[in-house]
Amino acid sequence: MDAQRIYNEAREIEDKVIELRRKIHENPELSYQEYETAKLVANYLRSLGIDVREGVGTETGVLGVIKGRRSGTVALRADMDALPVTEETGLPFASKKPGVMHACGHDAHTAMLLGAATILSRHLDEIGEVRLIFQPAEEDGGRGGALPMIEAGVMEGVDYVFGLHVMSGYPSGTLATRGGAIMACPDSFRVEVVGRGGHGSAPHETIDPVFISAMIVNALQGIRSRQINPLEPFVLSVTSIHSGTKDNIIPDRAVMEGTIRTLNEKVRETALKSFRNIVKSVCEAYGAECLVQFKEDAYPVTVNDPDTTKRAMEILKDIPGAEVKETQPVMGGEDFSRFLQRAKGSFIFLGTRNEKKGIVYPNHSSKFTVDEDALKVGVTALALLASKFSS
Ligand SMILES: [Zn+2]
Ligand SMILES: [Zn+2]
């Protein structure tokens, strides 16, 4: 199938895709709780005559399988979960659930994949097998929703896998990707500094965890500046420190949390090892105890297969009105990385920024929204890649 034909069909169903997106947007569900969304997805796929399996990997994982008549197998993935954010967009279809919002655009991902499924299911002669993976809990950051679905077998026999992510950083309709590392490995840490509290006027009789925490925060930035190659992307942020109750009391303990982002496993190993050494040494120097924990199951680096991505970018250039660009890597994490460990493929950003419409807020903001004009480009991209790579 060629790009123009798919694009024409995407325009025909554009209103339907927007309606689906808005319906999902109104009813956002947090990670692992995507019950209504999963039901909506399964019902819609069934209405297209597509084979559906529900409860795949976790209760809310949905797999649709389109059995085309050609030979290859391509997987397309959308994530379905929302975030604990109170929506402030003022849109008529804003979240009806206080404190929960589709602030990362997973509503758009789900709607676009349903749109692509609509088109692909009409052209069985021109495609191979297409697996439609609707995964829960991308925002979980630990085990996530991808891994359980992979363990349930959704990637068995898959030749290529593709996924889109809407991105406020690119103008509406832009498709941006790159071969190699595109998103980071996000490691989360928690450090507990255990000192000995006492009177604020007599610090020499205490082991002050507030002072020691401040030394640790500073010392940790030496990893970036002194230990990692300056040409390697690297972020270390201490994002919370909790300690103490009152101006004249030195507390017993302090707890710090934060994140480390890397694009390269060697850099990651160096950083994690050095992190432990620095925290331990600073604590030892001042007589405190410490406990360092890293969240298990950090998402791996998201690595696009270079040849597949090059070919995908050439194919996407034929979509009317779409601009295809090479992107810089982004330091966010993604469990699409786990699909890319099982098959060749690409993760692709879809620009949804539109300054004229005031759509300028970043992903995860309470004012985040997407320019819905970009949805037909996303639908076309997914259907086109599935068709070209499975035949
Ligand atoms: Zn997100
Ligand atoms: Zn996301």
Side-chain angles (χ1 to χ4, degrees):
M1 293 168 78
D2 69 39
Q4 182 68 52
R5 225 171 105 214
I6 295 179
Y7 183 72
N8 292 346
E9 293 196 30
R11 284 183 58 181
E12 274 168 37
I13 61 165
E14 184 177 10
D15 289 347
K16 182 70 200 169
V17 171
I18 291 172
E19 184 194 317
L20 286 164
R21 181 251 162 169
R22 293 183 177 188
K23 205 164 169 187
I24 298 164
H25 190 87
E26 265 183 349
N27 185 27
E29 296 173 295
L30 293 173
S31 298
Y32 300 111
Q33 297 167 34
E34 306 88 343
Y35 297 102
E36 296 297 321
T37 311
K39 210 181 289 169
L40 178 149
V41 165
N43 288 342
Y44 185 82
L45 293 175
R46 279 199 190 97
S47 78
L48 298 172
I50 294 172
D51 282 341
V52 181
R53 276 174 56 202
E54 290 172 84
V56 181
T58 63
E59 282 183 37
T60 48
V62 181
L63 175 70
V65 181
I66 305 176
K67 286 239 159 58
R69 302 199 177 92
R70 301 204 175 190
S71 58
T73 301
V74 171
L76 302 174
R77 173 275 209 166
D79 41 10
M80 302 187 290
D81 55 329
L83 286 161
V85 171
T86 299
E87 180 157 354
E88 294 181 71
T89 60
L91 290 166
F93 54 89
S95 168
K96 287 185 175 156
K97 280 192 191 161
V100 187
M101 175 189 175
H102 269 294
C104 200
H106 300 185
D107 52 339
H109 303 166
T110 303
M112 288 189 290
L113 188 50
L114 291 173
T118 312
I119 296 172
L120 291 166
S121 65
R122 295 172 181 166
H123 300 281
L124 300 182
D125 282 340
E126 293 167 87
I127 58 170
E129 179 171 330
V130 180
R131 307 253 177 101
L132 309 158
I133 300 173
F134 292 88
Q135 79 153 79
E138 190 286 322
E139 298 286 0
D140 173 52
R143 192 164 150 74
L147 200 54
M149 291 193 81
I150 292 166
E151 286 168 0
V154 300
M155 289 297 286
E156 270 161 38
V158 169
D159 302 309
Y160 295 97
V161 61
F162 298 98
L164 290 182
H165 204 301
V166 297
M167 199 51 85
S168 63
Y170 283 110
S172 184
T174 303
L175 291 161
T177 187
R178 72 192 301 272
I182 184 167
M183 289 189 76
C185 167
D187 279 294
S188 299
F189 60 80
R190 181 183 186 277
V191 173
E192 189 169 345
V193 179
V194 184
R196 195 176 65 231
H199 203 286
S201 66
H204 59 289
E205 290 173 2
T206 72
I207 295 171
D208 180 359
V210 173
F211 169 76
I212 296 167
S213 296
M215 303 300 273
I216 291 172
V217 172
N218 279 316
L220 286 175
Q221 292 306 328
I223 300 176
R224 160 78 284 179
S225 66
R226 302 293 92 179
Q227 294 178 328
I228 304 284
N229 182 336
L231 299 177
E232 287 284 353
F234 179 81
V235 176
L236 189 158
S237 296
V238 178
T239 54
S240 86
I241 304 183
H242 290 278
S243 184
T245 52
K246 197 173 181 298
D247 64 328
N248 61 358
I249 303 171
I250 290 173
D252 282 321
R253 60 189 68 223
V255 175
M256 290 182 270
E257 291 183 317
T259 185
I260 297 175
R261 306 293 170 113
T262 47
L263 288 178
N264 172 324
E265 188 55 36
K266 275 216 177 92
V267 171
R268 180 183 177 220
E269 269 172 39
T270 306
L272 298 197
K273 197 170 152 214
S274 178
F275 184 98
R276 287 180 191 277
N277 282 341
I278 288 171
V279 174
K280 199 166 149 247
S281 305
V282 174
C283 284
E284 255 172 35
Y286 291 102
E289 305 273 318
C290 69
L291 188 68
V292 178
Q293 290 169 298
F294 286 95
K295 190 165 178 176
E296 279 176 34
D297 289 327
Y299 294 169
V301 178
T302 304
V303 184
N304 283 341
D305 178 61
D307 291 342
T308 306
T309 305
K310 204 168 152 205
R311 190 179 151 204
M313 287 174 84
E314 282 305 313
I315 290 169
L316 295 172
K317 279 180 188 156
D318 291 336
I319 300 176
E323 196 182 340
V324 179
K325 271 190 185 159
E326 171 122 2
T327 186
Q328 296 264 57
V330 170
M331 296 309 272
E334 242 301 331
D335 70 348
F336 190 78
S337 50
R338 295 197 166 127
F339 295 110
L340 286 171
Q341 289 179 329
R342 269 76 180 182
K344 290 178 184 175
S346 315
F347 195 57
I348 299 161
F349 301 139
L350 171 65
T352 50
R353 182 186 188 87
N354 187 328
E355 278 163 32
K356 280 190 198 127
K357 295 183 188 170
I359 300 173
V360 295
Y361 295 96
N363 295 60
H364 288 210
S365 152
S366 60
K367 292 185 174 161
F368 174 80
T369 190
V370 302
D371 180 12
E372 290 173 328
D373 286 346
L375 299 184
K376 59 182 174 298
V377 176
V379 170
T380 307
L382 290 168
L384 183 61
L385 292 171
S387 143
K388 294 287 184 197
F389 279 86
S390 76
S391 55

